[in-house]
Amino acid sequence: MADQWSLQRRRLLQGLAAGAGLSALPFSLARAQDSGPLTRPLPTADITLPTVGLGTWITFNVGNNQRLLDNCADVMAAFFEGGGAMIDSSPMYGSSQNTVGYGLDKLNAREQVFSADKIWTRDADQGRQQSRESAELWQVDRFDLLQVHNLVSWRAHMDTLRAMRDDGAVRTIGITTSHGRRHREVERIMDSEPIDFVQLTYNPVDREAEDRLLPLAREKGIGVIVNRPFRRGALTERLASEPLPDWAGEVGAESWAQLILKFILSHPAVTCAIPATTRVDHVRENLAAASQPLPDQALRARIADTIRAL
């Protein structure tokens, strides 16, 4: 599957950059793209994914504003050009699903995306219908991943998702939480349900998932998608006025955002982080962070201690 993503990326590059009007990459980021971002396998399926994806919460909720739609398409173009694959959205995210569909159509990039969406309804009978409506907005035939959003009516929806996976209507299934909420319930689901992915919040200052959820994911072979890596920008904004430590260069981090992502990706249970952004340069910066070297245990502790102290 990793070879498949690489082949798709090469094909996309042939027609993408000129049409999207993207500027030349800085040398350090262009060099990181030569081989693409680091990838991780998903044990429950024949899938290998780039470790940095693209979130759409708030950033892609742009309505019918043509300028903003085209800006989001440029963000997606840079994302695919840099080797990205997973884009994550939800019916909860306003017009974000439609924005993704617009970008995929404009870029002719449906074969490049690993499409991750969610079921978000308390009506147990509406799960399949909502997923069909979401796929129409995305302009895809089916999703690669469907997740129960924030555990809403998860028991009933889990039955639906298992059936959809069995009949090929979706490739993989999972659950999501955020902000450190309901971790005990998430743990019980991970321990008892045959899910492929769990999505949760994790970064150098939000580390509760290290106690049980991340070790359990490794034990069960469940992929981990990390949301809110920058606390929706609050973490990087807080650090913006602080000088990046010299030792960040030991892992090739050129910014706080890259150092945070490298901390997240250095945990062996993490499959993919999904920062959201409206900026092409930030997409490139994020993808470039998914590269060796990654922090060892001692440097991970130093990163967390330093950021907490600032």
Side-chain angles (χ1 to χ4, degrees):
M1 202 66 172
D3 291 341
Q4 178 184 342
W5 288 123
S6 299
L7 176 59
Q8 290 172 346
R9 183 164 70 94
R10 287 196 298 271
R11 288 173 177 169
L12 184 64
L13 283 169
Q14 294 173 1
L16 190 61
L22 301 176
S23 59
L25 295 179
F27 174 74
S28 61
L29 300 190
R31 182 176 56 191
Q33 287 187 332
D34 287 343
S35 58
L38 293 172
T39 61
R40 295 256 168 88
L42 177 66
T44 63
D46 183 22
I47 295 170
T48 300
L49 284 172
T51 52
V52 170
L54 182 64
T56 61
W57 167 236
I58 296 180
T59 53
F60 273 38
N61 183 21
V62 300
N64 294 318
N65 185 306
Q66 191 61 50
R67 179 181 64 83
L68 296 179
L69 282 167
D70 287 332
N71 178 72
C72 290
D74 286 347
V75 167
M76 291 172 62
F79 176 69
F80 290 129
E81 181 185 8
M86 179 184 287
I87 297 181
D88 177 85
S89 195
S90 170
M92 178 190 173
Y93 297 172
S95 66
S96 295
Q97 294 170 308
N98 182 70
T99 302
V100 174
Y102 174 84
L104 292 178
D105 182 61
K106 180 179 181 180
L107 302 171
N108 191 26
R110 293 179 187 87
E111 293 185 0
Q112 279 68 48
V113 71
F114 183 92
S115 52
D117 208 273
K118 305 179 183 78
I119 291 178
W120 184 63
T121 173
R122 294 195 179 279
D123 189 336
D125 297 326
Q126 289 299 309
R128 278 186 181 264
Q129 179 60 31
Q130 187 177 73
S131 71
R132 285 193 290 266
E133 293 169 355
S134 296
E136 289 176 4
L137 292 172
W138 276 66
Q139 302 183 47
V140 296
D141 294 331
R142 67 166 185 169
F143 286 113
D144 293 298
L145 167 62
L146 269 178
Q147 306 151 95
V148 181
H149 194 151
N150 286 342
L151 308 187
V152 173
S153 300
W154 72 264
R155 289 180 177 83
H157 291 317
M158 192 57 60
D159 291 338
T160 299
L161 290 182
R162 281 197 304 266
M164 290 179 68
R165 184 178 59 185
D166 290 345
D167 64 24
V170 66
R171 208 167 163 197
T172 58
I173 63 174
I175 57 172
T176 82
T177 186
S178 61
H179 299 74
R181 298 170 179 151
R182 301 174 70 178
H183 277 194
R184 288 187 179 180
E185 189 169 7
V186 170
E187 181 180 346
R188 287 195 294 270
I189 297 169
M190 292 172 64
D191 202 32
S192 62
E193 297 289 336
I195 60 175
D196 303 294
F197 281 100
V198 61
Q199 183 178 144
L200 49 79
T201 298
Y202 180 58
N203 57 58
V205 294
D206 296 307
R207 301 179 63 185
E208 182 183 338
E210 290 180 351
D211 295 338
R212 278 295 299 150
L213 299 189
L214 294 180
L216 183 59
R218 290 201 77 192
E219 176 187 331
K220 295 285 187 177
I222 297 170
V224 175
I225 303 167
V226 172
N227 58 39
R228 293 175 57 86
F230 306 136
R231 287 190 158 187
R232 234 190 78 196
L235 186 54
T236 46
E237 288 171 9
R238 176 164 67 85
L239 296 169
S241 61
E242 302 290 343
L244 189 68
D246 291 340
W247 46 260
E250 295 177 17
V251 289
E254 299 176 359
S255 67
W256 283 109
Q258 289 189 336
L259 192 61
I260 291 167
L261 283 174
K262 281 180 172 288
F263 171 90
I264 294 168
L265 299 181
S266 65
H267 195 291
V270 170
T271 307
C272 182
I274 50 169
T277 184
T278 59
R279 289 174 49 172
V280 166
D281 60 329
H282 284 174
V283 169
R284 293 169 172 164
E285 179 183 9
N286 294 340
L287 287 167
S291 60
Q292 295 288 1
L294 293 176
D296 60 17
Q297 202 61 32
L299 190 53
R300 281 174 52 80
R302 191 174 190 183
I303 292 168
D305 290 343
T306 299
I307 290 176
R308 278 200 305 268
L310 292 176

